[in-house]
Amino acid sequence: MLKSWFSVLVAAHLITLIRADTWCGKNYKSSLPPVTPGGNFPIPSQSKDPLLAFRCAPAIRPYLAEDVSTPASVLIDSPVVYSQITDAKAIDLGSAPQKLNVTISLNGKTLANAMVPLNATAYEIPFSLLSIQPQAASYNLTCDAAYTTTGHSAAPQTFSASTALYVLPNPSSGSVTKMDLRTGALLAKPATGNGGDYEAVFPIGFYTQFDGYLTNLSVIDELKDQGFNMIHPVPTFSNMTLFEQVVDKMQEVGMYLMYDMRWTYMNSTSVTEQVNALKNKPNLLLWYTGDEPDGTSDPLDATTEAYDLIYSLDGYHPVSLVLNCQDYYWVDYTAGTDIVMHDVYMIGNNVSYSNQWNTVCTPDYGDCGCDNCVSIPAGDTAAVPPNSTLPPGPVPANSGVGTYFNIANRGSSFESRLDVMGWRRSKAIWTVPQAFGGGEYWVRVPTGQEWVVQSIVGINHGALGVVPWSDPTPADIKTASSAFAKSLPNITPFLFNPQAVHNRGNYVVGGVDIATWSTGSQTLVLAANTNYVDQTVSWMDIGVNGLTTTVVFQSGNVGSTSDGFTLGGVGAGAFVVQSNQPMASSATKRQYIMYV
């Protein structure tokens, strides 16, 4: 069956190679005028009165028939906000805040009831699945809340939300990838297909070229030995027999498959054939549909149509895509995915002036290979790479040297948009670091240390997967990424801990981007120096009491003491700090609340 859609895939690829004259809705050729692309994310209007954005979601998606005897739970989010975000409804808080009386029901039958505080995040209400018949279609779970103010005899204020609850039959063969909606993490059994428990997976592995590289099956052994746990083969696949051998070899060594339908995801016949051919593979982790569909201005409903079709055929694996534009019909394209990725490529290119098309790049015009990316601040010589072509002297405004904070801003804007849309529970964010260069917009390849900085900045701002473009990649990047992949077992327990995720802190000290995840007396500190000179950070800067510190990963020169840590130029580190109590931070916690 795999061979039957090969010709369709090749034809679609050849057609797509004919590029339109716009990117992210903007003209980029010098012969064309600037146009306003439109499609901006709608910024919520403000409210002078408090609003309750009452939301609910199952803790796990999907549950299976085999799970019915184990506890399940519903997550309640109850933020009180002052902006007109999705689901927000006016609330009279009264003189003293009270709790919400929340009832969970299915088809009119009460499953659970609990008192939930206002401003709760992922508050878990347990319920039983025993009375719910497994089926392919989702159930509509209803969550109702009543709020009574102190001393008021009036009827309680009421709020309601609903969510899809999947309780699927056990699959007869193949794999299941669940999502832990408390954190956004994927849950999967080992990729070998030889049994085992579901465990949280932090996917790390390259978009990988197929012909002439991945078809050498020994490469798969090498990637496994280097610490990667997933491969994303890039179509087209010239030999489908070899493709099947590649997937089988990946299963043999325990590598997950991220399956790419970029050239055919708008062809329902081809998608149907591919999904049916691969959905029972034991190492299939997830599907991938649109590859920068916002850049090419694919039909706005294309990703949603593909998403719905895939779920009608499978339902046991999530769907992903990558967006390239900073703010172009984000809602429409993101509606059709479970995992939204961002690829911010700002190393070795001029982000202000296109060396490909000889035009400036603005919000209305041009393509510099990094949409709406900003340059390092004027005068910031510490952020200039040593091999920069900037002339000597003060750094001018709009120098074209991209800042790593473009990645931070992209991730944080995605997070805030998910919050606004009510999608924070149902969708996750991954990052695509740049692992290429030397052509088109990018005159050089990132160094291994620069690759690590990109990846850690992405994780610090919500990414739960790292999929670099692309492999083969220079040895320097492969060495650095391998070291990072092998360090993840010491890092991911914090990223997958609901308490730590909800309490994540983000800071910028000098040019160092930092995030913290705390569980009890331990804190994970992930830090990346975006400058090319040494930077020192004190534990007090980030509110951490550093009694004892263990360095669990380092890239470049890294040092730590009881007072803080030092990172060399574009150095990065992961520290597990043992402390007896939190400290007040002496630095201003940077707020990445960016809707656009």
Side-chain angles (χ1 to χ4, degrees), residues 449 452-453 512 527-531 533 555-558 567-573:
Q449 287 185 220
V452 171
V453 170
V512 182
N529 184 4
T530 69
N531 286 339
V533 297
S555 172
N557 295 324
V558 176
L567 302 176
V570 286

Side-chain angles (χ1 to χ4, degrees), residues 577-595:
V577 183
Q578 185 78 31
S579 59
N580 54 9
Q581 61 182 5
M583 299 173 62
S585 170
S586 65
T588 301
K589 185 175 179 180
R590 180 164 179 176
Q591 298 295 319
Y592 288 90
I593 306 301
M594 298 186 63
Y595 300 125

Side-chain angles (χ1 to χ4, degrees), residues 527-563:
N529 184 4
T530 69
N531 286 339
Y532 290 81
V533 297
D534 293 357
Q535 298 272 270
T536 298
V537 177
S538 74
W539 299 124
M540 184 177 293
D541 287 335
I542 56 176
V544 173
N545 187 343
L547 288 181
T548 61
T549 303
T550 303
V551 180
V552 296
F553 171 73
Q554 69 178 70
S555 172
N557 295 324
V558 176
S560 67
T561 68
S562 59
D563 295 323

Side-chain angles (χ1 to χ4, degrees), residues 407-459:
I407 301 170
N409 291 339
R410 193 70 58 93
S412 294
S413 68
F414 277 24
E415 284 190 308
S416 66
R417 291 171 189 175
L418 292 179
D419 279 335
V420 169
M421 296 302 300
W423 291 344
R424 175 60 76 97
R425 294 278 154 247
S426 60
K427 300 181 189 294
I429 299 168
W430 292 6
T431 188
V432 181
Q434 179 183 344
F436 68 94
E440 297 183 289
Y441 305 91
W442 305 274
V443 298
R444 70 174 180 91
V445 181
T447 66
Q449 287 185 220
E450 290 174 324
W451 182 93
V452 171
V453 170
Q454 295 176 78
S455 299
I456 287 183
V457 171
I459 294 169

Side-chain angles (χ1 to χ4, degrees), residues 39 52 56 82 104 117 134 144 160 184 210 221 232 239 264 272 331 335 374-375 384 403 442 448:
L52 175 65
C56 64
Y82 289 84
I104 310 299
D144 294 305
S160 185
F210 183 75
D221 291 305
H232 181 140
N239 184 315
T264 56
T272 299
V331 172
V374 298
S375 303
V384 178
T403 170
W442 305 274

Side-chain angles (χ1 to χ4, degrees), residues 169 184 303 322 334 364 367 377 408 411 416 423 460 480 499 513 526 532 591:
T303 61
V322 68
T334 304
D364 296 331
D367 178 9
S416 66
W423 291 344
N460 284 354
Q499 176 191 353
D513 185 89
L526 269 184
Y532 290 81
Q591 298 295 319

